[in-house]
Amino acid sequence: MSIELDQSLEGILLENLKKQQQKYIETSHLIHANPEVGNEEYYASQQLISLLEAAGFDVDREIPEHPTAFKARKSCGKPGAKIGYLAEYDALPGIGHACGHNIIGTASVAAAIALSEVLPQTGGEVIVLGTPAEEGGPNGSAKGTFVRHGLVQELDACMMVHPLGRTTGSAPTLAVDPVDFEFVGKTAHAASNPEDGVNALDAVIQLYNGLNALRQHVTDDVRIHGVILDGGDAPNIVPDYARARFYLRAATRETCDELTKKAEKIAKGAAEMTGAAYKMTRIQNGVDNFKVTPLFDRVFQQKITALGHHFYEDRKGLGSTDAGNISQVIPTIHPYIKIGPESLVAHTDEFREAAKSKQGDDALIKGATALAQTGLELLTDGHLLKNIREEYERL
């Protein structure tokens, strides 16, 4: 069943965003000025929760495993679609909001609040998922936790918008397993009695060599990259502990799982070669590849283009995102919006500054507007939502 979409409903959205835009820009800047890494975003999450509660959303803060996560919802009691928005708000260690999550979280909350204003006419429900630690790290990628605990499956569709150097659509991304490999050996004096020692660092080096050899025998989509986090304390002491962290990526979850199994076999071999014991630990949720739903993307494209953004059709995968986990269970969009020159590269000082620039502020408001308008289309056009779901199921 579809609802007549008239200008009055869209006018409610636009009026709400116009009245609140300065508050949203201030919120984005406050989050930017107080960067917090994953699962420590107490200030940022509270800023967003305060906006939602003031707009009449019920907020659940008791999300398993993540103290800074939340799920906010607003309904008028009438049946209809459940539209979700993804809010990210973690910063990068040392460099702050160099991926623009201050814009992402605020835009999603602004869009949700604006859309919630029309629920008495449209029915349905608006839900915001506050998802910490998108950048990973210990117990990172909270969207994977939301999926594991069944906190997203009720939604009919979900969306967000990410800052970038150009405005473009959702792109396929890589699945990734962030893994620690630990080796335990035995200390000894490296000069007087090295024969009594078991060198854990040697095991890490063999792991590195084995994974380098594996790179020659994988498909083009696979990416293997890592660092040594612990390698010993002094050259004259045989290291009894060493640790390396690797990100193992591939185009699909299935390929990534196989890659991780091969990497563990190499770690086991390195341990046997050196006599060390080994342990492999997944330090966070595995991240799934992003499943693009073209029809859903086109709705956002129409909205953002009408707001004056040039939309680039060519889309390239940009690493990995745990929005991929959401996209594997419900139709999801993750488009990008321009906040600076096309040369802008995420995770840099320049990107951090763009995330609080006038162009970044404009992208925040226009991105929120396009997200709200997209949500309105889904609430009022049951045929469109049905077609999106059917396309998604065929992918």
Side-chain angles (χ1 to χ4, degrees), residues 55-296:
F57 280 72
D58 294 322
V59 181
D60 179 8
R61 304 168 187 246
E62 301 301 318
I63 305 300
E65 304 178 38
H66 301 279
T68 56
F70 64 87
K71 184 176 183 179
R73 63 199 314 149
K74 188 175 180 181
S75 172
C76 68
K78 296 181 180 180
K82 294 183 178 182
I83 307 301
Y85 291 96
L86 298 172
E88 299 173 3
Y89 34 86
D90 61 316
L92 290 154
I95 199 171
H97 278 287
C99 205
H101 292 192
N102 58 302
I103 293 175
I104 295 173
T106 311
S108 285
V109 166
I113 291 172
L115 185 60
S116 75
E117 293 293 302
V118 304
L119 291 178
Q121 291 90 347
T122 65
E125 193 166 1
V126 181
I127 297 171
V128 180
L129 305 180
T131 57
E134 189 277 337
E135 296 292 352
N139 197 31
S141 301
K143 295 183 191 68
T145 304
F146 274 75
V147 172
R148 281 192 290 106
H149 288 278
L151 298 175
V152 302
Q153 285 80 345
E154 65 174 303
L155 300 175
D156 291 293
C158 204
M159 64 190 95
M160 60 174 286
V161 65
H162 197 297
L164 200 65
R166 55 164 55 184
T167 299
T168 186
S170 306
T173 62
L174 300 176
V176 56
D177 281 337
V179 178
D180 274 7
F181 295 97
E182 297 175 274
F183 294 90
V184 177
K186 181 181 177 183
T187 57
H189 193 292
S192 65
N193 62 324
E195 68 278 7
D196 294 330
V198 175
N199 195 318
L201 178 59
D202 281 349
V204 165
I205 291 170
Q206 294 305 320
L207 171 70
Y208 252 89
N209 290 337
L211 290 174
N212 276 333
L214 178 62
R215 287 191 179 100
Q216 301 177 57
H217 305 286
V218 294
T219 51
D220 291 343
D221 59 292
V222 169
R223 299 289 184 270
I224 303 171
H225 44 103
V227 294
I228 297 175
L229 299 176
D230 295 284
D233 297 318
N236 60 345
I237 303 172
V238 174
D240 67 341
Y241 178 78
R243 176 171 62 117
R245 177 169 296 172
F246 277 84
Y247 282 9
L248 307 168
R249 305 184 196 251
T252 66
R253 168 45 54 193
E254 292 75 17
T255 303
C256 191
D257 286 342
E258 289 301 315
L259 176 65
T260 302
K261 290 177 184 177
K262 291 178 180 178
E264 184 169 19
K265 289 180 180 178
I266 291 171
K268 182 179 180 181
E272 292 180 351
M273 290 172 68
T274 58
Y278 89 96
K279 178 183 178 183
M280 187 186 85
T281 305
R282 297 172 186 264
I283 65 166
Q284 64 178 71
N285 288 308
V287 171
D288 292 341
N289 51 294
F290 192 89
K291 183 177 179 180
V292 177
T293 307
L295 177 58
F296 193 0

Side-chain angles (χ1 to χ4, degrees), residues 11 52 74 95 102 111 134 159 171 191 303 305-306 323 329 333 365:
L52 291 162
K74 188 175 180 181
I95 199 171
N102 58 302
E134 189 277 337
M159 64 190 95
K303 304 304 180 185
T305 300
V329 293
I333 59 169
I365 300 304

Side-chain angles (χ1 to χ4, degrees), residues 332-375:
T332 305
I333 59 169
H334 183 284
Y336 299 86
I337 190 165
K338 181 179 178 66
I339 65 166
E342 286 192 36
S343 60
L344 195 62
V345 177
H347 297 201
T348 62
D349 291 337
E350 291 76 15
F351 201 102
R352 181 191 61 224
E353 296 308 301
K356 65 172 183 178
S357 67
K358 288 185 178 180
Q359 190 170 3
D361 295 343
D362 181 71
L364 161 63
I365 300 304
K366 288 183 178 177
T369 302
L371 288 175
Q373 291 172 323
T374 300

